[in-house]
Amino acid sequence: AANQKAPAPSPPFPLYAETAVPASSPPLPPAPTPDSFASYIYESNPNLTALDYSSTAILPPTEDAGQEYIDNITFLGDSTTYGFIFYESLAGGRNTKQVWTGFDGTMTLSFQDSVLIKDPEDGTGRTIRQCAQLRKPDFLVVTLGLNGISFMGEEYFISEYKSLITDIKALSPETTVVLQSIYPISQNYIYWGSITNDMVTRANSWVLQIAEETSCPYLDTYSVLAADDGSIKRQFESGDGIHLSPEGLDTVLEYIRTHAYISE
């Protein structure tokens, strides 16, 4: 059935083999600044789905909001978010209380209504909605969808994602919920083909649509991580083509600080 909930694969993630750059390769042009919104990537790669950069949901550049801003954010997401714990990128290191994810370090969008996340405050397993109602974070940055785009169509994806965001906002109305783009991946990913950046960018357009429909701001972190071909820059991935390196995670945090949500 089209709406059948299927688990995402949980493969091993082997390191990629370094490939030498031929001596005759021309030097790469300097990358545009992140504030160009990476429109050049979409223009040169028509297979990717461009965002509507006229959308007022997309957070524009701001002055650096600083570490205090980051320290006030709770991050909800899959294994790409678990990297904040693994690489100790946030306050508290491995014991940070700023990450909500499954007990196995990941989660799949299609199970958003039933998955138990490890509540970092007491280690108890709770649903996302239970955590939202109990903990009421000031800021919640949501990064979901990568585990799902291989089998979820547009209607299914939007329905699951929007249901979650709508419920979180109802259960914790004082929480500022920010939707973040799915990060780019590379062909080093062992399951490249079942997931591609064509699919990632298409899903990001859906996430932006959800942000607009639920009155949430949107973080276009895809743009700051992507190379000219739309894949993740090598220095920003951990070696498996899908998870971020410490430098990648730091780049995301810097982007969030410099595209801060400023309440009116």
Side-chain angles (χ1 to χ4, degrees):
N3 285 352
Q4 183 178 356
K5 293 186 177 183
S10 53
F13 298 112
L15 296 178
Y16 63 81
E18 285 286 346
T19 55
V21 177
S24 59
S25 296
L28 294 175
T33 62
D35 296 341
S36 69
F37 295 122
S39 59
Y40 72 100
I41 293 177
Y42 303 113
E43 291 165 1
S44 57
N45 297 281
N47 55 309
L48 303 180
T49 301
L51 288 182
D52 176 7
Y53 283 112
S54 67
S55 173
T56 57
I58 298 176
L59 286 170
T62 63
E63 293 187 3
D64 192 331
Q67 186 61 41
E68 183 178 356
Y69 181 77
I70 295 296
D71 291 344
N72 201 34
I73 294 174
T74 297
F75 295 88
L76 167 65
D78 51 33
S79 59
T80 60
T81 296
Y82 176 77
F84 286 130
I85 297 176
F86 186 82
Y87 290 114
E88 303 184 29
S89 304
L90 300 170
R94 291 287 178 98
N95 297 313
T96 184
K97 298 185 185 303
Q98 292 180 246
V99 175
W100 290 0
T101 192
F103 277 85
D104 57 353
T106 191
M107 66 175 66
T108 301
L109 177 60
S110 58
F111 293 110
Q112 54 80 21
D113 58 350
S114 59
V115 65
L116 293 182
I117 62 174
K118 183 179 180 181
D119 185 338
E121 294 292 339
D122 60 11
T124 299
R126 294 188 170 92
T127 66
I128 299 170
R129 289 163 177 80
Q130 288 171 337
C131 276
Q133 186 172 31
L134 179 63
R135 302 303 177 192
K136 292 180 167 51
D138 291 334
F139 283 86
L140 185 67
V141 171
V142 180
T143 315
L144 286 174
L146 183 62
N147 295 332
I149 58 176
S150 64
F151 62 90
M152 299 177 78
E154 179 177 1
E155 182 178 353
Y156 185 14
F157 183 103
I158 291 176
S159 175
E160 293 289 326
Y161 204 128
K162 190 173 180 179
S163 169
L164 175 64
I165 301 307
T166 301
D167 286 352
I168 289 174
K169 295 187 71 168
L171 292 166
S172 185
E174 298 304 314
T175 296
T176 298
V177 181
V178 181
L179 308 191
Q180 184 174 205
S181 65
I182 303 169
Y183 305 141
I185 65 173
S186 79
Q187 293 189 37
N188 295 319
Y189 178 45
I190 190 173
Y191 284 104
W192 174 266
S194 63
I195 300 177
T196 65
N197 287 309
D198 302 15
M199 299 164 72
V200 168
T201 55
R202 184 166 63 248
N204 280 339
S205 72
W206 302 339
V207 177
L208 176 58
Q209 176 185 330
I210 296 163
E212 294 169 340
E213 293 177 355
T214 57
S215 300
C216 291
Y218 176 89
L219 282 163
D220 180 34
T221 39
Y222 176 95
S223 68
V224 77
L225 297 171
D228 288 348
D229 64 353
S231 63
I232 190 169
K233 293 178 181 177
R234 176 171 292 188
Q235 68 268 32
F236 292 157
E237 59 116 332
S238 64
D240 60 11
I242 196 168
H243 296 103
L244 300 190
S245 65
E247 184 178 353
L249 292 167
D250 288 346
T251 299
V252 167
L253 294 176
E254 180 181 1
Y255 186 92
I256 293 172
R257 287 201 320 267
T258 56
H259 294 75
Y261 174 76
I262 302 173
S263 59
E264 297 179 355

